[in-house]
Amino acid sequence: GAGVSQTPSNKVTEKGKYVELRCDPISGHTALYWYRQSLGQGPEFLIYFQGTGAADDSGLPNDRFFAVRPEGSVSTLKIQRTERGDSAVYLCASSLNPGTMVNEQFFGPGTRLTVL
Amino acid sequence: ELKVEQNPLFLSMQEGKNYTIYCNYSTTSDRLYWYRQDPGKSLESLFVLLSNGAVKQEGRLMASLDTKARLSTLHITAAVHDLSATYFCAVDRGGSEKLVFGKGTKLTVNP
């Protein structure tokens, strides 16, 4: 079946602009996660949705970052007034069974964001 | 704060050799995961380890978990070039679904 998909695959923007990154999770997965991966580092958690609500947004670095999942499926990560330090690969993951013993997260291909 | 450390960060080995990657974590964790990432690609799930003493094997890779020592190992047997990739371990904690990742181990297997 289809995996997690993310669009666009690459996004180049200028400092100060607004960007939206989209994630389409695996069908039927109720949990959705956003991570950010800088060059040479492991992914860092940003936010986790259970259904439509953000269950944990403790990883969002500041109020320029916001994410929504209005219908409990597709999610959009929104970044306002982008800064060069926001450049990274933004990864989305989804899982079927949050709160159970095995909560395996399946990752999408990522969106590479470059802020000039 | 939950922290995850991997070592080594870089590993160059010859085909046919064995080696082990180590993953230490700082606080009690419910689950430990190993992922593989090829250059420019996303993360592929390799193993999920749930309990003390858990051991899982897939091909030339074997992962184990010692919750008392807060240590997981990923053992590579008779390495082949196709295993060249970056390997990440990640843990999460009871009540939290977020994964905390190590910095990764970049493995290069030379012919």
Side-chain angles (χ1 to χ4, degrees):
Chain A
V4 178
S5 62
Q6 293 186 245
T7 55
S9 55
N10 279 284
K11 176 71 178 178
V12 180
T13 191
E14 293 180 342
K15 180 173 177 287
K17 299 290 188 183
Y18 168 83
V19 296
E20 289 189 352
L21 312 179
R22 176 189 167 110
C23 172
D24 209 326
I26 293 172
S27 178
H29 281 196
T30 60
L32 184 147
Y33 312 79
W34 285 99
Y35 293 83
R36 177 168 73 173
Q37 186 176 23
S38 300
L39 192 62
Q41 303 293 318
E44 292 180 307
F45 171 80
L46 296 176
I47 186 170
Y48 151 53
F49 286 91
Q50 176 56 30
T52 60
D56 183 350
D57 64 357
S58 62
L60 294 177
N62 51 60
D63 61 6
R64 295 187 298 106
F65 289 74
F66 189 71
V68 296
R69 195 185 185 201
E71 298 179 355
S73 180
V74 170
S75 175
T76 304
L77 179 65
K78 308 180 181 194
I79 310 174
Q80 299 177 324
R81 304 183 304 279
T82 52
E83 300 178 356
R84 292 193 180 91
D86 299 335
S87 297
V89 175
Y90 289 80
L91 295 168
C92 176
S94 68
S95 71
L96 182 61
N97 295 317
T100 62
M101 276 307 292
V102 181
N103 181 35
E104 194 171 2
Q105 295 183 23
F106 296 89
F107 283 80
T111 294
R112 181 175 297 277
L113 175 66
T114 303
V115 182
L116 301 177
Chain B
E1 182 187 351
L2 178 55
K3 293 187 178 181
V4 180
E5 290 190 357
Q6 286 181 239
N7 71 84
L9 297 182
F10 298 92
L11 176 56
S12 180
M13 56 191 298
Q14 287 194 310
E15 280 191 329
K17 299 292 187 183
N18 304 333
Y19 211 85
T20 300
I21 299 171
Y22 298 88
C23 174
N24 288 91
Y25 51 98
S26 59
T27 61
T28 302
S29 171
D30 282 349
R31 296 171 289 215
L32 189 136
Y33 305 80
W34 283 97
Y35 285 89
R36 168 182 171 144
Q37 187 175 40
D38 290 288
K41 305 291 185 183
S42 192
L43 288 90
E44 173 191 355
S45 178
L46 295 175
F47 302 108
V48 182
L49 302 171
L50 302 177
S51 59
N52 188 42
V55 177
K56 290 196 174 179
Q57 183 162 5
E58 180 73 35
R60 299 174 189 274
L61 301 178
M62 183 173 71
S64 65
L65 178 61
D66 180 343
T67 58
K68 293 179 181 176
R70 296 178 189 157
L71 170 69
S72 179
T73 60
L74 181 66
H75 187 73
I76 303 153
T77 302
V80 293
H81 179 69
D82 284 353
L83 290 179
S84 297
T86 299
Y87 293 85
F88 291 95
C89 66
V91 299
D92 63 14
R93 199 164 48 189
S96 169
E97 302 298 326
K98 67 183 182 185
L99 293 179
V100 178
F101 284 82
K103 289 189 174 183
T105 297
K106 184 174 181 180
L107 172 66
T108 303
V109 181
N110 303 304

XYZ file of all heavy atoms in Angstrom, chain A residues 48-112:
491
model
N 3.121 16.273 17.526
C 2.440 14.983 17.351
C 0.935 15.213 17.416
O 0.437 15.882 18.320
C 2.927 14.047 18.451
C 1.990 12.966 18.933
C 1.380 12.082 18.061
C 1.738 12.821 20.304
C 0.538 11.082 18.528
C 0.904 11.831 20.775
C 0.306 10.958 19.891
O -0.524 9.968 20.360
N 0.224 14.680 16.429
C -1.232 14.759 16.379
C -1.833 13.388 16.653
O -1.384 12.377 16.120
C -1.701 15.193 14.988
C -1.485 16.635 14.680
C -0.312 17.061 14.071
C -2.445 17.580 14.990
C -0.108 18.387 13.778
C -2.254 18.920 14.691
C -1.083 19.313 14.088
N -2.857 13.375 17.468
C -3.700 12.197 17.612
C -5.081 12.630 17.089
O -5.770 13.412 17.734
C -3.763 11.746 19.071
C -4.705 10.591 19.322
C -4.409 9.371 18.493
O -3.261 9.090 18.123
N -5.441 8.636 18.153
N -5.446 12.105 15.933
C -6.661 12.601 15.294
C -6.446 14.030 14.814
O -5.452 14.351 14.196
N -7.377 14.891 15.153
C -7.302 16.277 14.701
C -6.534 17.182 15.653
O -6.123 18.285 15.273
C -8.710 16.868 14.522
O -9.384 16.815 15.784
C -9.511 16.074 13.496
N -6.333 16.723 16.873
C -5.737 17.587 17.880
C -4.262 17.346 18.076
O -3.766 16.225 17.957
N -3.548 18.422 18.418
C -2.124 18.317 18.718
C -1.971 17.791 20.139
O -2.275 18.486 21.106
C -1.444 19.669 18.574
N -1.492 16.552 20.254
C -1.332 15.932 21.571
C -0.063 16.397 22.268
O 0.029 16.367 23.498
C -1.328 14.416 21.431
N 0.926 16.797 21.489
C 2.203 17.239 22.056
C 2.868 18.145 21.041
O 3.245 17.694 19.968
C 3.087 16.021 22.359
C 4.407 16.377 23.032
O 4.757 17.576 23.112
O 5.107 15.448 23.468
N 2.975 19.429 21.380
C 3.645 20.377 20.480
C 4.899 20.946 21.130
O 5.350 22.039 20.763
C 2.705 21.486 20.031
C 2.235 22.365 21.189
O 2.606 22.069 22.344
O 1.507 23.339 20.943
N 5.459 20.200 22.053
C 6.577 20.702 22.844
C 7.851 20.909 22.037
O 8.763 21.591 22.488
C 6.870 19.740 24.003
O 7.240 18.461 23.507
N 7.934 20.346 20.844
C 9.136 20.478 20.041
C 9.131 21.653 19.079
O 10.155 21.958 18.462
N 8.013 22.338 18.950
C 7.987 23.496 18.055
C 8.927 24.563 18.618
O 8.790 24.963 19.783
C 6.573 24.053 17.934
C 5.555 23.144 17.246
C 4.182 23.794 17.251
C 5.984 22.810 15.833
N 9.877 25.041 17.813
C 10.927 25.914 18.364
C 10.445 27.297 18.786
O 11.012 27.874 19.710
C 11.940 26.007 17.217
C 11.223 25.595 15.994
C 10.129 24.695 16.401
N 9.432 27.822 18.143
C 8.909 29.151 18.500
C 7.565 29.348 17.824
O 7.077 28.445 17.124
C 9.909 30.245 18.078
C 10.327 30.107 16.629
O 9.487 30.161 15.729
N 11.615 29.900 16.406
N 6.980 30.527 18.039
C 5.618 30.725 17.532
C 5.558 31.001 16.037
O 4.475 31.248 15.493
C 4.911 31.841 18.317
C 5.616 33.183 18.201
O 6.582 33.282 17.421
O 5.197 34.120 18.897
N 6.692 30.962 15.342
C 6.637 31.061 13.878
C 6.185 29.734 13.260
O 5.810 29.685 12.095
C 8.008 31.445 13.322
C 8.481 32.824 13.728
C 9.783 33.205 13.003
N 10.894 32.308 13.334
C 11.367 31.390 12.512
N 10.830 31.205 11.325
N 12.390 30.632 12.884
N 6.273 28.679 14.054
C 5.919 27.344 13.568
C 4.523 26.962 14.057
O 4.205 27.118 15.240
C 6.924 26.297 14.079
C 8.272 26.378 13.442
C 9.162 27.394 13.782
C 8.668 25.439 12.509
C 10.421 27.470 13.185
C 9.919 25.505 11.918
C 10.796 26.516 12.256
N 3.728 26.431 13.135
C 2.382 26.023 13.481
C 1.995 24.862 12.585
O 2.429 24.776 11.436
C 1.415 27.202 13.260
C 0.037 26.962 13.786
C -0.195 26.942 15.149
C -1.030 26.757 12.927
C -1.474 26.720 15.647
C -2.309 26.531 13.416
C -2.529 26.513 14.777
N 1.206 23.929 13.099
C 0.770 22.795 12.282
C -0.694 22.527 12.533
O -1.204 22.764 13.639
C 1.594 21.547 12.583
N -1.367 22.025 11.505
C -2.785 21.703 11.603
C -3.048 20.350 10.979
O -2.293 19.872 10.114
C -3.663 22.784 10.918
C -3.532 24.118 11.637
C -3.308 22.920 9.446
N -4.164 19.769 11.414
C -4.615 18.494 10.832
C -6.146 18.491 10.942
O -6.728 17.747 11.720
C -4.002 17.327 11.609
C -4.114 15.986 10.890
C -3.610 14.852 11.753
N -3.612 13.585 11.028
C -3.611 12.406 11.639
N -3.611 12.317 12.962
N -3.596 11.307 10.913
N -6.798 19.333 10.186
C -8.221 19.649 10.397
C -9.180 18.468 10.291
O -10.213 18.465 10.959
C -8.512 20.706 9.334
C -7.431 20.541 8.325
C -6.230 20.058 9.046
N -8.860 17.488 9.458
C -9.788 16.379 9.280
C -9.208 15.061 9.773
O -9.751 13.991 9.478
C -10.216 16.283 7.809
C -10.960 17.523 7.345
C -11.369 17.457 5.883
O -11.003 16.481 5.195
O -12.038 18.400 5.422
N -8.111 15.150 10.494
C -7.536 13.934 11.069
C -6.770 13.081 10.093
O -6.424 11.933 10.407
N -6.467 13.648 8.922
C -5.680 12.885 7.950
C -4.482 13.723 7.523
O -3.459 13.715 8.210
C -6.541 12.498 6.753
O -5.782 11.768 5.814
N -4.627 14.486 6.450
C -3.537 15.321 5.950
C -3.178 16.386 6.986
O -4.042 16.930 7.672
C -3.960 15.993 4.628
C -2.959 17.047 4.197
C -4.131 14.929 3.546
N -1.869 16.659 7.074
C -1.411 17.710 7.967
C -0.568 18.706 7.184
O 0.089 18.353 6.194
C -0.573 17.103 9.096
O -0.010 18.109 9.921
N -0.607 19.967 7.641
C 0.214 21.018 7.051
C 1.054 21.658 8.140
O 0.520 22.053 9.186
C -0.658 22.090 6.383
O -1.510 21.473 5.425
C 0.214 23.124 5.685
N 2.349 21.744 7.904
C 3.262 22.467 8.784
C 3.486 23.842 8.172
O 3.851 23.946 6.995
C 4.585 21.717 8.929
C 5.661 22.363 9.801
C 5.219 22.442 11.256
C 6.973 21.600 9.686
N 3.264 24.863 8.971
C 3.338 26.230 8.464
C 4.458 26.974 9.178
O 4.544 26.914 10.416
C 2.014 26.959 8.702
C 0.807 26.179 8.180
C -0.496 26.904 8.409
C -1.666 26.070 7.892
N -2.895 26.865 7.785
N 5.288 27.642 8.418
C 6.389 28.403 9.002
C 6.277 29.833 8.508
O 6.309 30.096 7.304
C 7.764 27.819 8.616
C 7.807 26.312 8.880
C 8.868 28.524 9.409
C 9.086 25.634 8.395
N 6.152 30.765 9.456
C 6.057 32.186 9.121
C 7.435 32.836 9.230
O 8.284 32.394 10.007
C 5.096 32.882 10.086
C 3.675 32.355 10.046
C 2.786 33.037 11.068
O 3.220 33.362 12.163
N 1.537 33.271 10.705
N 7.611 33.904 8.458
C 8.829 34.723 8.564
C 10.065 33.829 8.635
O 10.845 33.880 9.589
C 8.749 35.628 9.792
C 7.510 36.521 9.806
C 7.504 37.467 11.015
N 7.623 36.771 12.286
C 6.627 36.180 12.916
N 5.414 36.163 12.385
N 6.824 35.589 14.090
N 10.239 33.014 7.615
C 11.322 32.023 7.641
C 12.685 32.670 7.850
O 12.936 33.797 7.398
C 11.350 31.208 6.339
O 11.370 32.104 5.214
C 10.169 30.276 6.249
N 13.541 31.924 8.523
C 14.916 32.344 8.789
C 15.859 31.294 8.211
O 15.476 30.136 8.004
C 15.142 32.478 10.294
C 14.233 33.493 10.955
C 14.432 33.570 12.457
O 15.231 32.783 13.008
O 13.764 34.428 13.082
N 17.108 31.713 7.974
C 18.075 30.779 7.377
C 18.259 29.546 8.246
O 18.466 28.435 7.750
C 19.393 31.485 7.112
C 19.270 32.531 6.026
C 20.608 33.043 5.522
N 20.395 34.045 4.489
C 20.290 35.357 4.730
N 20.401 35.809 5.969
N 20.075 36.204 3.745
N 18.140 29.701 9.541
C 18.286 28.577 10.460
C 17.160 27.562 10.374
O 17.268 26.478 10.966
N 16.094 27.895 9.647
C 14.997 26.937 9.464
C 15.326 25.917 8.382
O 14.589 24.926 8.225
C 13.710 27.666 9.078
C 13.234 28.640 10.131
O 13.580 28.446 11.321
O 12.514 29.601 9.779
N 16.383 26.141 7.644
C 16.764 25.212 6.573
C 17.068 23.844 7.157
O 17.893 23.714 8.071
C 17.989 25.745 5.822
O 17.700 26.962 5.183
N 16.399 22.830 6.628
C 16.523 21.469 7.141
C 15.630 20.574 6.288
O 14.916 21.059 5.404
C 16.085 21.382 8.604
N 15.657 19.283 6.583
C 14.690 18.353 5.994
C 13.590 18.142 7.022
O 13.855 17.793 8.176
C 15.334 17.016 5.621
C 14.271 16.037 5.121
C 16.407 17.211 4.558
N 12.358 18.383 6.610
C 11.216 18.206 7.500
C 10.565 16.864 7.176
O 10.103 16.633 6.061
C 10.240 19.368 7.334
C 10.813 20.645 7.922
C 11.738 21.406 7.213
C 10.472 21.050 9.210
C 12.307 22.537 7.763
C 11.028 22.184 9.768
C 11.949 22.926 9.050
O 12.513 24.043 9.604
N 10.572 15.994 8.172
C 10.063 14.640 8.017
C 8.709 14.492 8.695
O 8.494 14.998 9.794
C 11.037 13.639 8.649
C 12.418 13.517 8.002
C 13.358 12.731 8.901
C 12.312 12.852 6.646
N 7.847 13.777 8.038
C 6.543 13.442 8.608
C 6.506 11.936 8.815
O 7.080 11.161 8.030
C 5.445 13.885 7.652
S 3.782 13.447 8.174
N 5.844 11.507 9.874
C 5.673 10.076 10.140
C 4.245 9.832 10.594
O 3.576 10.742 11.101
C 6.659 9.603 11.206
N 3.784 8.608 10.422
C 2.472 8.252 10.958
C 2.547 6.886 11.621
O 3.465 6.099 11.356
C 1.393 8.258 9.858
O 1.583 7.206 8.926
N 1.621 6.642 12.520
C 1.581 5.344 13.187
C 0.130 4.935 13.420
O -0.772 5.773 13.516
C 2.358 5.370 14.499
O 1.692 6.135 15.486
N -0.053 3.637 13.554
C -1.390 3.069 13.668
C -1.874 2.993 15.099
O -3.052 3.238 15.377
C -1.385 1.655 13.058
C -2.709 0.886 13.038
C -3.746 1.638 12.224
C -2.480 -0.508 12.481
N -0.953 2.683 16.019
C -1.368 2.328 17.381
C -0.673 3.143 18.465
O 0.032 2.593 19.292
C -1.079 0.848 17.643
C -1.895 -0.061 16.764
O -3.083 0.175 16.581
N -1.260 -1.070 16.220
N -0.846 4.447 18.497
C -0.237 5.199 19.594
C -0.837 4.759 20.914
O -1.996 4.368 20.991
C -0.609 6.650 19.281
C -1.818 6.563 18.420
C -1.660 5.306 17.630
N -0.013 4.765 21.943
C -0.499 4.366 23.254
C -0.453 2.877 23.495
O -0.756 2.416 24.584
N -0.062 2.097 22.498
C 0.091 0.651 22.675
C 1.568 0.300 22.750
O 2.429 1.143 22.534
C -0.554 -0.131 21.523
O 0.111 0.228 20.300
C -2.024 0.217 21.398
N 1.860 -0.955 23.044
C 3.255 -1.348 23.249
C 4.116 -1.129 22.011
O 5.240 -0.697 22.107
C 3.331 -2.801 23.699
C 3.147 -2.986 25.178
S 4.270 -1.947 26.151
C 5.847 -2.697 25.761
N 3.581 -1.467 20.857
C 4.363 -1.299 19.636
C 3.767 -0.144 18.858
O 2.684 -0.277 18.281
C 4.362 -2.561 18.765
C 5.215 -2.335 17.524
C 4.889 -3.750 19.560
N 4.416 0.986 18.868
C 3.921 2.148 18.134
C 4.947 2.514 17.086
O 5.642 3.529 17.191
C 3.678 3.310 19.089
C 3.129 4.519 18.360
O 2.360 4.382 17.417
N 3.533 5.705 18.789
N 5.047 1.692 16.066
C 6.058 1.895 15.042
C 5.673 3.072 14.158
O 4.553 3.131 13.636
C 6.202 0.631 14.203
C 7.424 0.594 13.330
C 7.615 -0.766 12.703
O 6.772 -1.656 12.927
O 8.608 -0.952 11.983
N 6.605 3.985 14.019
C 6.367 5.173 13.194
C 6.984 4.944 11.814
O 8.149 4.537 11.706
C 6.970 6.411 13.856
C 6.296 6.751 15.178
C 6.835 8.005 15.820
O 7.396 8.876 15.164
N 6.653 8.109 17.128
N 6.205 5.255 10.788
C 6.644 5.094 9.401
C 6.850 6.489 8.814
O 5.947 7.335 8.862
C 5.599 4.320 8.596
C 5.420 2.914 9.082
C 4.500 2.633 10.087
C 6.180 1.888 8.564
C 4.344 1.334 10.564
C 6.025 0.583 9.017
C 5.111 0.305 10.017
N 8.023 6.689 8.260
C 8.423 8.018 7.817
C 8.209 8.233 6.328
O 8.352 7.309 5.519
C 9.906 8.254 8.149
C 10.147 8.554 9.598
C 10.184 7.540 10.536
C 10.315 9.870 10.027
C 10.384 7.828 11.878
C 10.524 10.149 11.376
C 10.555 9.124 12.293
N 7.896 9.484 5.990
C 7.820 9.898 4.607
C 9.188 10.293 4.075
O 10.171 10.286 4.817
N 9.252 10.674 2.791
C 10.535 11.000 2.162
C 11.103 12.350 2.581
O 12.273 12.625 2.336
C 10.206 10.986 0.669
C 8.755 11.297 0.612
C 8.143 10.696 1.835
N 10.278 13.194 3.197
C 10.769 14.479 3.669
C 10.617 15.600 2.653
O 10.493 15.373 1.451
N 10.604 16.818 3.184
C 10.684 18.032 2.373
C 11.968 18.755 2.752
O 12.168 19.084 3.928
C 9.490 18.970 2.620
O 8.297 18.354 2.158
C 9.701 20.299 1.894
N 12.811 18.973 1.759
C 14.055 19.716 2.016
C 13.763 21.200 1.847
O 13.446 21.654 0.741
C 15.159 19.285 1.052
C 16.488 20.003 1.296
C 17.590 19.461 0.396
N 17.866 18.064 0.663
C 18.649 17.632 1.627
N 19.261 18.487 2.436
N 18.850 16.336 1.793
